[in-house]
């Protein structure tokens, strides 16, 4: 079986780490590299977090440092949700894989060139690294098959009433990616707020006596409490959505639509303006907007994968 080459770009925080652990167990996908970006927490944490989650999984994927801040906006972190170092109360083993000085954007280009047009990029954080790669290497438009984004929302937002965090954090970077011409799959809040594990499912998985499930338990406890205080039905696994969409699209449904990012709005900065209805206002239907998920199957699949470590 020809495996699908995949790149994982992340501001590795709590749901990012679960997304990686799920991605690592997809037999039809081959992780070619991981890049860390500043987002949930600073790069000084997201970079070692990305290295160390590989160590927990028993893998030594190459991990590259990316942007310390968005293209133009100041970095706005989410320590209140993801904790001081981005992993809640979770602790990871320390990776001893040698460091590399190759920056994320160069590594992404190298992987795309090597994959000869088959590379899929999964993003779980602000799109700064991908935007820089596209600006430095315009030929990426013909080398990257698909970018699967956790980000945006056809309706609503979580950082503001209009914007989801990953897009809000770097709206200019996001706009460069959405306008790149590379086919986009947008897993926005429309689907990710329904992609949750119930508290009972979280506790059951966290009770399994294994290093991965103990890490899951410790890293998610405060985030679950955050969602419960906001009267949400459970632990939203936002970043797992693009991973499982690529591996198991049958769990999801959505619509092709034009999507562009508001970069200047005082109230609407970072909004992914999504033309789901008129379908006439944007020149292209540049993104597949994922709107629904089979939650029961999604949650069961995540549990089964984390128990398998
Ligand atoms: O809005 C949810 C997104 O912001 C997720 O990627 C989460 O990890 C945070 O980065
Ligand atoms: Ca993230």
């Amino acid at each position: 079986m020809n495996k699908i080459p995949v790149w994982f770009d992340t501001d590795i925080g709590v749901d990012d780490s679960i997304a990686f652990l799920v991605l690592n167990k997809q037999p039809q996908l081959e992780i070619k590299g991981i890049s860390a970006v500043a987002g949930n927490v600073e790069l000084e944490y997201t970079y070692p977090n990305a290295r160390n989650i590989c160590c927990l999984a028993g893998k030594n994927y190459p991990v590259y440092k990316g942007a310390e801040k968005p293209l133009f906006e100041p970095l706005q972190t989410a320590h209140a949700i993801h904790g001081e170092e981005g992993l809640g109360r979770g602790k990871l083993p320390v990776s001893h894989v040698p460091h590399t000085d190759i920056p994320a954007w160069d590594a992404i280009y190298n992987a795309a060139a090597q994959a000869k047009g088959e590379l899929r990029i999964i993003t779980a954080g602000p799109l700064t690294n991908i935007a820089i790669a596209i600006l430095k290497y315009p030929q990426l438009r013909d080398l990257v098959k698909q970018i699967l984004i956790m980000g945006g929302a056809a309706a609503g937002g979580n950082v503001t009433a209009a914007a989801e965090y990953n897009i809000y954090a770097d709206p200019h970077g996001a706009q460069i990616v959405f306008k790149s011409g590379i086919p986009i799959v947008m897993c926005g809040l429309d689907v990710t707020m329904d992609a949750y594990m119930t508290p009972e499912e979280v506790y059951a998985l966290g009770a399994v006596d294994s290093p991965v499930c103990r890490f899951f338990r410790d890293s998610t406890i405060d985030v679950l409490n955050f969602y419960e205080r906001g009267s949400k039905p459970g632990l939203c696994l936002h970043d797992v959505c693009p991973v499982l969409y690529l591996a198991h699209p049958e769990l999801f449904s959505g619509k092709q639509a034009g999507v562009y990012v508001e970069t200047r709005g005082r109230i609407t900065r970072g909004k992914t303006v999504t033309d789901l209805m008129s379908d006439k206002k944007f020149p292209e239907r540049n993104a597949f907007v994922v709107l629904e998920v089979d939650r029961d199957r999604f949650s069961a699949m995540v549990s089964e994968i984390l128990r398998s470590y």
Side-chain angles (χ1 to χ4, degrees):
M1 165 179 63
N2 283 337
K3 293 196 171 196
I4 297 172
V6 173
W7 189 275
F8 186 56
D9 188 77
T10 174
D11 61 337
I12 192 153
V14 174
D15 57 328
D16 307 63
S17 57
I18 299 164
F20 166 77
L21 292 168
V22 170
L23 174 59
N24 177 55
K25 286 282 187 175
Q26 300 304 317
Q28 73 279 42
L29 305 181
E30 181 179 359
I31 298 174
K32 291 298 189 183
I34 298 169
S35 44
V37 66
N40 285 323
V41 293
E42 293 78 359
L43 186 68
E44 67 181 283
Y45 298 118
T46 61
Y47 173 61
N49 288 349
R51 288 168 49 85
N52 297 339
I53 196 75
C54 292
C55 190
L56 177 67
K59 296 290 176 71
N60 58 1
Y61 298 119
V63 177
Y64 301 87
K65 267 188 195 173
E68 289 181 313
K69 67 172 291 297
L71 294 182
F72 302 113
E73 299 293 347
L75 175 63
Q76 185 166 311
T77 56
H79 285 286
I81 299 172
H82 293 267
E84 182 51 36
E85 299 187 4
L87 299 172
R89 302 185 204 175
K91 297 292 177 211
L92 290 171
V94 177
S95 168
H96 297 290
V97 172
H99 296 268
T100 170
D101 293 334
I102 300 171
W105 32 91
D106 291 352
I108 289 167
Y109 171 71
N110 294 340
Q114 198 170 34
K116 298 184 173 50
E118 290 305 313
L119 188 70
R120 275 72 163 185
I121 297 176
I122 296 175
T123 70
L127 293 166
T128 318
N129 288 346
I130 314 304
I132 295 171
I134 290 169
L135 290 172
K136 185 171 181 182
Y137 301 102
Q139 60 270 50
L140 276 177
R141 173 180 176 146
D142 302 316
L143 285 174
V144 176
K145 185 145 187 134
Q146 193 176 47
I147 303 177
L148 300 104
I149 295 169
M150 190 283 130
N158 55 4
V159 178
T160 71
E164 176 279 327
Y165 173 78
N166 287 337
I167 309 300
Y168 179 85
D170 191 345
H172 303 88
Q175 180 70 324
I176 288 166
V177 173
F178 275 88
K179 278 185 170 280
S180 67
I182 299 171
I184 303 285
V185 172
M186 179 174 106
C187 296
L189 297 175
D190 319 279
V191 65
T192 68
M193 290 306 288
D194 290 336
Y196 63 86
M197 293 178 75
T198 65
E200 295 71 26
E201 292 163 346
V202 172
Y203 299 143
L205 181 58
V208 175
D209 187 21
S210 73
V212 164
C213 290
R214 281 196 296 275
F215 170 76
F216 171 84
R217 178 195 63 200
D218 297 343
S219 62
T220 59
I221 183 65
D222 293 331
V223 181
L224 175 61
N225 292 338
F226 164 80
Y227 280 114
E228 287 187 305
R229 285 197 305 275
S231 42
K232 298 293 183 293
L235 175 71
C236 295
L237 297 178
H238 303 280
D239 293 333
V240 177
C241 287
V243 172
L244 284 184
Y245 180 84
L246 180 58
H248 295 280
E250 69 278 7
L251 295 182
F252 301 88
S253 63
K255 273 186 75 176
Q256 196 73 25
V259 181
Y260 290 109
V261 179
E262 173 57 70
T263 57
R264 289 196 291 249
R266 280 183 305 105
I267 301 175
T268 55
R269 161 194 156 172
K271 178 164 185 55
T272 46
V273 181
T274 306
D275 189 11
L276 279 178
M277 281 173 273
S278 78
D279 198 22
K280 300 180 186 64
K281 302 296 184 299
F282 291 137
E284 291 176 30
R285 295 189 300 170
N286 57 325
F288 183 79
V289 179
V290 184
L291 296 166
E292 294 179 325
V293 61
D294 180 330
R295 189 217 71 85
D296 292 348
R297 291 172 64 194
F298 174 92
S299 176
M301 195 172 282
V302 172
S303 292
E304 182 185 347
I305 289 167
L306 267 60
R307 288 168 188 263
S308 72
Y309 275 85

